[in-house]
């Protein structure tokens, strides 16, 4: 018997790796000093741990440790990057470019700035969710101060042409912010090679604790200047004041160390499992489509649409498997995913989409269990669907001209 429940929602969050937990443990009760208390050994010990963690993150991102700013998570990092740059450079220009499939933690700060008089360009994506670099180049204007494009999408795993975007932004003298929350620790992210100026990440997406994040802020070529959102003691180069969360930071550092060492092997393992999941589902079921770019995609993420069934019904049928229909942040609402909509997927098909997020605990046995269970759920649910009946007869339900019943006609 397979152990349940099975966790396939690693894009929403990951468990803390036990090695990360062990690294954090001493920093709650024993080494509890304030990292800003440099006058005594308690503070110095805390600071040494924070410095070590800064190095571990910097090694993963290929930057200088002094370019790492600790935050409470990627939502905060995105807010500091976008609003901080807008405030600092608002007198030079007020145009910001982003794209339709960003996370709300980028879109909402951008919208707030728009309401405050900044101009926003929201780039379209192709049907696989990728932005077109030529369209981006055409959108850059003399008053453009920031381009914010994510590394990989949280719903589909689609990876953007980050290196080309970084190069373009540097050629045109525009700052480039990249929300790399879903990518860091899963695929190689190199801020030097990718020419990123500001980068957001969150520890809980890479087997670290919740409530800790990082904003990478480039110091050279160019030196990025931004206004702080949270002011106080001047911590973190004055960009983000507040006493540091030492245990969380230690956990973030250790999570980055482990990711750096194990990422390549783990990515290959998860790619094989993810491909097995998709191939088996496609082989055993009709009317299934993969959403996202199958060439440029996170190794552990799959988003599939199951026509003629509701995603919610599938999730109810697979009640011992943790899955997500669309983004975890918006799955409580009935709005179809803005990401899938931007890719041209109809609201009906978007509602029949499921995200599978594999991770360190995922086994082949679990994948095979999910494929079996999903296949029988689909068979059962589709048996009840008149639209599916039409579809197997070769009639596309979207093209049917429905005749009203006598009752409907009378009450028109
Ligand atoms: C792409 C992306 N950006 C930002 C966030 C927000 O991260 P956090 O929960 O650390 O604030 C998430 C979380 O789902 C995400 O996937």
């Amino acid at each position: 018997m397979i152990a349940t429940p099975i966790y396939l929602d690693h894009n929403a969050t990951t468990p803390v790796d036990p090695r990360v937990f062990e690294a954090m443990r001493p920093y709650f009760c024993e080494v509890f000093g304030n990292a800003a208390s440099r006058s005594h050994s308690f503070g110095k010990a805390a600071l040494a741990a924070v410095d070590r963690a800064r190095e571990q993150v910097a090694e993963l991102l290929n930057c200088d440790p002094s370019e790492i700013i600790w935050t409470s998570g990627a939502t905060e990092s995105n807010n500091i990057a976008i609003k901080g740059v807008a405030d600092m450079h608002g007198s030079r220009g007020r145009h910001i470019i982003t794209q339709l499939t960003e996370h709300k933690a980028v879109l909402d700060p951008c919208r707030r700035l728009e309401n405050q008089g900044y101009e926003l360009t929201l780039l379209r994506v192709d049907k696989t969710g990728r932005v077109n670099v030529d369209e981006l180049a055409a959108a850059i204007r003399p008053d453009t101060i920031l381009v914010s494009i994510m590394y990989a999408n949280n719903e589909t795993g689609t990876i953007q042409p980050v290196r080309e975007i970084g190069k373009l932004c540097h050629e045109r003298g525009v700052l480039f912010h990249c929300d790399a929350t879903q990518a860091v620790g899963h695929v190689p992210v190199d801020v030097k090679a990718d020419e990123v100026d500001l980068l957001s990440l969150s520890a809980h997406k890479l087997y670290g604790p919740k409530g800790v994040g990082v904003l990478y802020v480039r110091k050279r070529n160019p030196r990025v200047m931004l206004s702080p959102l949270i002011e106080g003691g001047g911590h973190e180069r004055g960009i983000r004041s507040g006493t540091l969360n030492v245990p969380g930071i230690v956990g973030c550092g250790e999570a980055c160390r482990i990711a750096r060492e194990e990422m390549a092997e783990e990515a290959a393992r998860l790619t094989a499992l993810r491909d097995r999941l998709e191939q088996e589902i496609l082989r055993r079921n009709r009317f299934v489509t993969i959403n996202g770019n199958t060439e440029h995609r996170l190794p552990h993420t799959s988003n599939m649409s199951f026509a003629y069934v509701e995603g919610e019904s599938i999730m109810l049928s697979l009640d011992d498997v943790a899955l997500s229909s669309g983004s975890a942040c918006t799955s409580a609402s009935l709005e179809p995913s803005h990401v899938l909509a931007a890719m041209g997927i109809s609201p009906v098909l978007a509602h029949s989409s499921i995200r599978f997020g594999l991770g360190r605990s995922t086994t082949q046995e679990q994948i095979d269990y999910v494929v079996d269970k999903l296949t029988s759920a689909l068979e059962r649910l589709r048996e009840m669907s008149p639209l599916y009946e039409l579809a197997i007869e070769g009639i596309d339900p979207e093209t049917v001209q429905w005749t009203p019943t006598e009752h409907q006609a009378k009450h028109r």
Side-chain angles (χ1 to χ4, degrees):
M1 270 290 279
I2 192 163
T4 54
I6 293 169
Y7 189 72
L8 281 187
D9 203 12
H10 288 85
N11 300 80
T13 195
T14 57
V16 171
D17 187 298
R19 293 167 289 180
V20 168
F21 184 62
E22 283 312 317
M24 292 170 68
R25 192 194 288 274
Y27 294 92
F28 289 96
C29 304
E30 295 149 43
V31 194
F32 61 86
N34 185 329
S37 304
R38 292 171 191 212
S39 57
H40 53 67
S41 60
F42 295 82
K44 281 180 188 155
L47 180 61
V50 168
D51 284 345
R52 175 82 203 103
R54 222 185 274 282
E55 279 166 19
Q56 288 169 319
V57 179
E59 273 167 24
L60 183 63
L61 300 181
N62 189 26
C63 66
D64 192 82
S66 64
E67 295 175 310
I68 299 297
I69 305 295
W70 301 113
T71 68
S72 66
T75 301
E76 187 188 330
S77 301
N78 288 345
N79 271 268
I80 299 177
I82 295 164
K83 294 175 183 167
V85 164
D87 186 73
M88 178 62 78
H89 301 278
S91 56
R92 191 168 61 78
R94 294 173 84 80
H95 180 229
I96 293 169
I97 302 173
T98 184
Q99 48 141 5
L100 285 165
T101 59
E102 289 293 314
H103 192 273
K104 299 279 178 187
V106 164
L107 291 175
D108 286 355
C110 287
R111 290 227 168 85
R112 177 168 298 277
L113 290 170
E114 195 179 24
N115 291 336
Q116 292 170 355
Y118 287 80
E119 242 189 287
L120 189 62
T121 296
L122 278 169
L123 295 173
R124 296 171 309 157
V125 293
D126 66 16
K127 61 183 194 320
T128 74
R130 283 193 119 204
V131 80
N132 181 314
V133 181
D134 293 335
E135 276 181 32
L136 170 60
I140 295 177
R141 315 187 312 210
D143 62 339
T144 307
I145 50 172
L146 181 69
V147 167
S148 182
I149 303 284
M150 70 197 331
Y151 208 105
N153 186 268
N154 45 299
E155 293 187 36
T156 61
T158 293
I159 295 177
Q160 296 294 349
V162 173
R163 198 157 291 189
E164 287 170 62
I165 295 170
K167 188 166 175 280
L168 171 71
C169 288
H170 276 185
E171 278 166 9
R172 306 283 292 271
V174 179
L175 291 177
F176 173 34
H177 166 247
C178 183
D179 177 358
T181 309
Q182 292 287 343
V184 173
H186 302 281
V187 290
V189 172
D190 180 327
V191 291
K192 279 208 186 98
D194 291 340
E195 301 192 45
V196 175
D197 298 315
L198 296 134
L199 179 138
S200 306
L201 70 90
S202 194
H204 76 98
K205 305 282 188 187
L206 62 144
Y207 305 90
K210 292 168 187 59
V212 193
V214 162
L215 178 64
Y216 155 78
V217 182
R218 181 182 283 276
K219 265 186 153 176
R220 261 181 292 278
N221 305 320
R223 182 181 181 86
V224 176
M225 304 292 286
L226 71 173
S227 307
L229 296 191
I230 299 174
E231 299 178 272
H235 309 74
E236 300 301 287
R237 289 165 50 199
I239 293 171
R240 203 279 194 175
S241 287
T243 300
L244 294 179
N245 167 7
V246 179
I249 287 168
V250 167
C252 183
E254 178 68 358
C256 288
R257 180 196 68 77
I258 295 169
R260 200 164 77 94
E261 284 174 14
E262 300 180 358
M263 181 168 28
E265 208 177 309
E266 182 63 356
R269 190 184 77 88
L270 291 179
T271 302
L273 287 180
R274 193 265 320 271
D275 290 352
R276 182 183 179 97
L277 173 81
E278 289 181 345
Q279 280 155 16
E280 281 303 295
I281 289 176
L282 287 169
R283 189 178 65 79
R284 292 172 58 180
N285 299 280
R286 298 176 69 186
F287 309 112
V288 179
T289 41
I290 297 172
N291 302 316
N293 191 299
T294 48
E295 193 187 334
H296 304 282
R297 194 162 51 140
L298 292 174
H300 63 297
T301 308
S302 172
N303 188 308
M304 285 184 255
S305 292
F306 303 93
Y308 317 116
V309 256
E310 281 281 306
E312 295 295 320
S313 317
I314 298 175
M315 298 213 315
L316 283 175
S317 305
L318 271 71
D319 58 356
D320 55 358
V321 185
L323 294 164
S324 164
S325 62
S327 162
C329 316
T330 51
S331 64
S333 79
L334 273 179
E335 277 280 299
S337 142
H338 72 282
V339 173
L340 300 182
M343 290 159 59
I345 295 169
S346 74
V348 174
L349 204 54
H351 275 304
S352 65
S353 304
I354 298 276
R355 179 183 70 187
F356 302 82
L358 286 62
R360 284 188 192 151
S361 60
T362 310
T363 62
Q364 184 170 313
E365 195 191 12
Q366 289 181 343
I367 294 296
D368 292 346
Y369 176 84
V370 171
V371 172
D372 282 345
K373 198 150 181 187
L374 180 77
T375 301
S376 39
L378 280 180
E379 272 166 20
R380 196 165 35 77
L381 292 165
R382 281 174 169 172
E383 253 169 41
M384 297 186 273
S385 161
L387 298 182
Y388 179 67
E389 243 174 69
L390 286 176
I392 49 175
E393 282 167 25
I395 303 164
D396 179 357
E398 300 271 347
T399 62
V400 173
Q401 294 280 320
W402 302 98
T403 332
T405 62
E406 212 174 297
H407 176 80
Q408 282 168 334
K410 224 187 270 171
H411 290 86
R412 267 193 167 171

